[in-house]
C-alpha cells in the first residue's frame, strides 16, 4: 500500500473518530469499512463482528507504568485516580480523574489523566469509550509522552472490537507519527500479526 493511500485512510479514520465524538458531521463518502452513512449525517450502525476472527486477550495494565505515576510528586486528586486504577476500581478511577481534569484542564498531568481514563475504559472492555478518550489525548496533546501510547491503544481497542482495518490504520499512524517511540515497535509487531 502506497504512502498516499495510507495517509488518505488515516485521514478517513480521524474523520470517523471525530464523527463518533460528535465534533463534525459524517462524511458523505463511504467510510473505510464500507458501511453506509445516512443522509442526515448520523454515524453508521456498528458492523457485526466476524466470529471467525479470534479476539486477542485483553492485556493487563503495566504495573511499572502505574508505579512511575504514583512515584511522581502529584496533586492528591490525581494520585487518588491512579491508585484506583491500580486497585482495578476503574469506574471510580474514571470519575476521580474526570474530577481532576475539570479543575486542572491546563495541568501538565492532563494528558496522563485523559490517558488513564481511556485505559480504565479499555480494562472495562468499553472499547468505544476507550477510543474516544485515547483520541482526546491524541488530538489535544499530540506532543505529550502519552500520545504514542494513546494511538497504539486506539489500535488495540479496534482490534478487540474485531475491526482489523481500523486497527491497522491506528498502528500505521503510530509508525508514521511517532516512529522513534517505544510504541512504534509494538505497532509494527501488531501490524505483522494482522
Amino acid at each position: 500500500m502506497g504512502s498516499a493511500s495510507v495517509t488518505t485512510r488515516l485521514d478517513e479514520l480521524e474523520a470517523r473518530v471525530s464523527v463518533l465524538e460528535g465534533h463534525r458531521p459524517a462524511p458523505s463518502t463511504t467510510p473505510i469499512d464500507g458501511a453506509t452513512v445516512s443522509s442526515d449525517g448520523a454515524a453508521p450502525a456498528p458492523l457485526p463482528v466476524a466470529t471467525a476472527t479470534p479476539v486477542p486477550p485483553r492485556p493487563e495494565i503495566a504495573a511499572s507504568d502505574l508505579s512511575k505515576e504514583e512515584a511522581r510528586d502529584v496533586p492528591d486528586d490525581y494520585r487518588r485516580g491512579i491508585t484506583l486504577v491500580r486497585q482495578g476500581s476503574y469506574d471510580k478511577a474514571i470519575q476521580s480523574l474526570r474530577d481532576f481534569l475539570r479543575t486542572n484542564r491546563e495541568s501538565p498531568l492532563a494528558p496522563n489523566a485523559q490517558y488513564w481514563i481511556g485505559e480504565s475504559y479499555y480494562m472495562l472492555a468499553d472499547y468505544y469509550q476507550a477510543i474516544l478518550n485515547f483520541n482526546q489525548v491524541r488530538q489535544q496533546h499530540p506532543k505529550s509522552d502519552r500520545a504514542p501510547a494513546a494511538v497504539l491503544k486506539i489500535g488495540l481497542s479496534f482490534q478487540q472490537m474485531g475491526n482489523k482495518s481500523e486497527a491497522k490504520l491506528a498502528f500505521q499512524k503510530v509508525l508514521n507519527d511517532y516512529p522513534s517511540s517505544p510504541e512504534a515497535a509494538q505497532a509494527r509487531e501488531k501490524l505483522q500479526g494482522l
Side-chain angles (χ1 to χ4, degrees):
M1 172 179 315
S3 105
S5 175
V6 168
T7 301
T8 301
R9 294 197 61 203
L10 289 172
D11 290 342
E12 290 171 352
L13 173 61
E14 288 181 16
R16 289 190 61 207
V17 170
S18 290
V19 168
L20 290 173
E21 291 177 328
H23 289 197
R24 59 180 147 161
S28 59
T29 60
T30 302
I32 296 168
D33 58 14
T36 56
V37 176
S38 66
S39 59
D40 66 357
L47 294 175
V49 176
T51 55
T53 305
V55 176
R58 193 166 31 111
E60 296 297 316
I61 293 176
S64 63
D65 207 18
L66 282 171
S67 295
K68 286 182 212 169
E69 290 290 322
E70 290 177 326
R72 298 171 77 174
D73 184 22
V74 296
D76 288 341
D77 48 355
Y78 178 82
R79 183 177 311 284
R80 186 172 31 258
I82 297 302
T83 299
L84 288 165
V85 171
R86 178 185 282 285
Q87 293 170 349
S89 299
Y90 302 116
D91 289 322
K92 290 178 183 176
I94 290 166
Q95 187 57 50
S96 181
L97 291 166
R98 280 198 175 137
D99 290 345
F100 170 79
L101 284 173
R102 239 180 249 111
T103 57
N104 297 282
R105 183 57 60 191
E106 301 303 317
S107 167
L109 293 171
N112 291 10
Q114 192 69 58
Y115 175 86
W116 288 111
I117 291 170
E119 188 71 48
S120 294
Y121 278 117
Y122 184 83
M123 296 306 292
L124 290 169
D126 187 343
Y127 303 116
Y128 174 80
Q129 283 297 320
I131 290 168
L132 294 178
N133 282 278
F134 289 133
N135 194 53
Q136 282 186 356
V137 175
R138 184 193 64 76
Q139 285 184 327
Q140 296 170 4
H141 311 282
K143 304 248 186 261
S144 80
D145 292 343
R146 287 291 178 195
V151 178
L152 179 69
K153 284 294 190 158
I154 289 171
L156 292 172
S157 296
F158 276 123
Q159 187 177 21
Q160 289 288 350
M161 293 168 67
N163 191 331
K164 281 185 173 182
S165 63
E166 300 295 334
K168 286 180 183 178
L169 289 174
F171 296 144
Q172 189 62 53
K173 186 159 184 62
V174 174
L175 294 175
N176 291 351
D177 293 358
Y178 308 102
S180 60
S181 69
E183 291 80 8
Q186 294 173 42
R188 191 173 294 107
E189 181 182 312
K190 292 293 183 182
L191 275 171
Q192 290 171 351
L194 289 177

